[in-house]
Amino acid sequence: MFFNCDEIRKRMNEAGKRRKPFLFAVDFEMREGFFVPDPLSQRDVLFDIKGISNAYTPEHSTASVFPPFSDYPSEALHGHPFTPPATYLFEADPEDYSTYRQRFTIVMNGLKRGDSYLTNLTIKTPLRSSLSLEEIFRFSRAAYKLCLPGKWVCFSPECFVRIERGKISTFPMKGTIDARLPNAQDIILNDPKEMAEHNTIVDLLRNDLSRIAISVKVNRFRYIDELQTNRGPILQVSSEIEGTLPEGYLDNMGTLFFELLPAGSVSGAPKEATLRLIREAEREPRGFYAGVAGYFDGEILDSFVLIRFIEQRGDQLFFRSGGGITAQSNCRKEYEEAIQKVYLPF
């Protein structure tokens, strides 16, 4: 099931040629990942991708093919209606502000040198929870859910790319705010730093799509989704970018897909120099966190960014979170945003 990325690329190409379903994931460093053929018939990896799932009992089973993309609402979909217990333990111990400030300073120095103009900086927060990874997977309400039992669970709201009928679309998500704040939507849409960060990521991903597609355009710019969490509702800002793929794209799906990695929204721009800056600031590999995963049903590929991510090491749980840093960023605000993203979506 686990392979290096060259092998995953080859298997994606072969499955695309044969129009055979598969599930896959690739780590952020692009060292390894997994490839699962006929994913609905196995339970080594649990998934629920906009209602297509191998994880539920027969009465909860869903269709094995995607409905048309236009049938989805603009807000995040919410998965299956499993109700969490009335009380449960979920406590976080974020790294102290002084530690985050050291990482932030490394990034900011790189921005001032011109090494990068947008860098995604992430932290790892120890957790205490009475819930298992599998329980978090089942109770979470998110468009994209994935669980490697005993290793990690992801409940991501962020599509990476969707490939359908010769089109490729991506939906960068940049900008988060507590929805309960007065005028929250106006605040997030008019914040100069947030606007600059979102503009940068839209430009980066538009350029990324242009490497493999033509007629790339921005269909929607800075629209708002509201997400429910165990700590209250939050607003997230996204855009939609679309391009047209070449003839025979399914025969080269893996090759085309890997041209887009790593995901720009969780790395930065320009990519190579920014990745070096991330390694210097974070001081350890991210692994599958901030990588990408997806499901191919034989015709449509829907993929997502592995954010909103909890990993398990022995008996210890860690929540991985972060945000984009620009020259206009405020250290305290970025620290608070990274902590705000430590939540359960139920």
Side-chain angles (χ1 to χ4, degrees):
M1 185 173 83
F2 291 92
F3 305 98
N4 65 44
C5 286
D6 284 340
E7 182 63 25
I8 293 173
R9 182 189 294 109
K10 293 175 184 176
R11 290 176 182 245
M12 289 176 68
N13 283 341
E14 182 59 31
K17 290 177 184 177
R18 299 170 60 206
R19 311 303 194 258
K20 294 294 186 180
F22 62 84
L23 178 76
F24 76 100
V26 178
D27 71 359
F28 179 75
E29 286 78 24
M30 297 175 61
R31 295 173 182 168
E32 68 165 346
F34 61 75
F35 180 93
V36 181
D38 194 17
L40 287 166
S41 67
Q42 58 81 44
R43 291 181 64 83
D44 293 327
V45 183
L46 303 178
F47 69 94
D48 184 333
I49 298 177
K50 291 182 175 173
I52 299 171
S53 178
N54 69 334
Y56 305 108
T57 55
E59 60 267 27
H60 290 112
S61 65
T62 56
S64 61
V65 296
F66 290 110
F69 189 52
S70 59
D71 288 355
Y72 291 119
S74 60
E75 67 272 13
L77 304 183
H78 296 308
H80 286 272
F82 288 92
T83 304
T87 60
Y88 56 87
L89 178 67
F90 184 78
E91 296 178 347
D93 294 315
E95 68 182 27
D96 59 67
Y97 176 66
S98 62
T99 301
Y100 180 85
R101 187 172 56 200
Q102 292 173 7
R103 305 183 196 278
F104 180 89
T105 299
I106 292 171
V107 170
M108 190 57 69
N109 287 340
L111 293 168
K112 291 177 179 177
R113 287 194 305 268
D115 298 346
S116 173
Y117 46 94
L118 171 64
T119 300
N120 185 264
L121 177 63
T122 73
I123 61 174
K124 184 170 69 175
T125 299
L127 293 178
R128 292 181 299 278
S129 180
S130 57
L131 301 174
S132 68
L133 298 183
E134 292 90 336
E135 288 173 322
I136 292 171
F137 171 88
R138 291 183 184 277
F139 298 144
S140 292
R141 302 170 71 84
Y144 303 99
K145 302 195 298 182
L146 192 62
C147 180
L148 220 56
K151 295 186 178 180
W152 51 264
V153 64
C154 175
F155 37 91
S156 177
E158 183 172 357
C159 178
F160 176 48
V161 297
R162 181 178 171 101
I163 295 174
E164 176 182 9
R165 300 188 188 96
K167 301 289 187 180
I168 183 169
S169 302
T170 188
F171 304 84
M173 181 178 287
K174 282 293 178 188
T176 304
I177 192 171
D178 188 333
R180 297 167 297 185
L181 293 174
N183 302 315
Q185 181 167 320
D186 289 339
I187 292 171
I188 193 70
L189 290 178
N190 292 296
D191 184 298
K193 179 266 174 184
E194 297 290 351
M195 190 179 300
E197 180 184 348
H198 200 96
N199 288 343
T200 298
I201 203 62
V202 166
D203 282 344
L204 172 63
L205 293 187
R206 184 168 52 191
N207 290 337
D208 279 356
L209 288 197
S210 295
R211 299 174 66 180
I212 65 171
I214 62 172
S215 303
V216 176
K217 59 182 179 178
V218 179
N219 287 338
R220 289 187 291 168
F221 184 66
R222 300 192 79 210
Y223 62 88
I224 295 284
D225 285 324
E226 181 172 320
L227 305 179
Q228 300 299 321
T229 83
N230 65 314
R231 297 171 59 183
I234 59 174
L235 301 182
Q236 299 236 235
V237 185
S238 299
S239 289
E240 177 188 355
I241 310 166
E242 180 188 77
T244 301
L245 291 167
E247 292 290 332
Y249 66 92
L250 287 177
D251 296 351
N252 297 288
M253 186 186 307
T255 300
L256 293 172
F257 189 89
F258 271 81
E259 282 292 316
L260 305 174
L261 299 181
S265 66
V266 285
S267 54
K271 278 189 182 179
E272 287 302 319
T274 300
L275 290 172
R276 290 193 293 269
L277 195 55
I278 287 172
R279 287 192 290 269
E280 181 184 354
E282 296 184 5
R283 300 193 182 98
E284 66 174 335
R286 292 181 179 179
F288 279 99
Y289 168 60
V292 297
Y295 176 74
F296 178 62
D297 69 358
E299 294 182 2
I300 300 169
L301 176 71
D302 201 357
S303 66
F304 56 101
V305 184
L306 291 169
I307 59 172
R308 311 300 192 265
F309 188 97
I310 299 174
E311 63 182 329
Q312 181 175 338
R313 295 185 182 179
D315 295 329
Q316 180 65 63
L317 298 177
F318 298 93
F319 197 111
R320 308 296 292 267
S321 63
I325 311 298
T326 72
Q328 293 80 35
S329 291
N330 175 277
C331 185
R332 175 64 71 174
K333 287 183 178 180
E334 297 296 342
Y335 174 71
E336 292 172 353
E337 178 179 329
I339 294 173
Q340 183 185 48
K341 291 175 180 174
V342 179
Y343 68 79
L344 295 175
F346 49 82

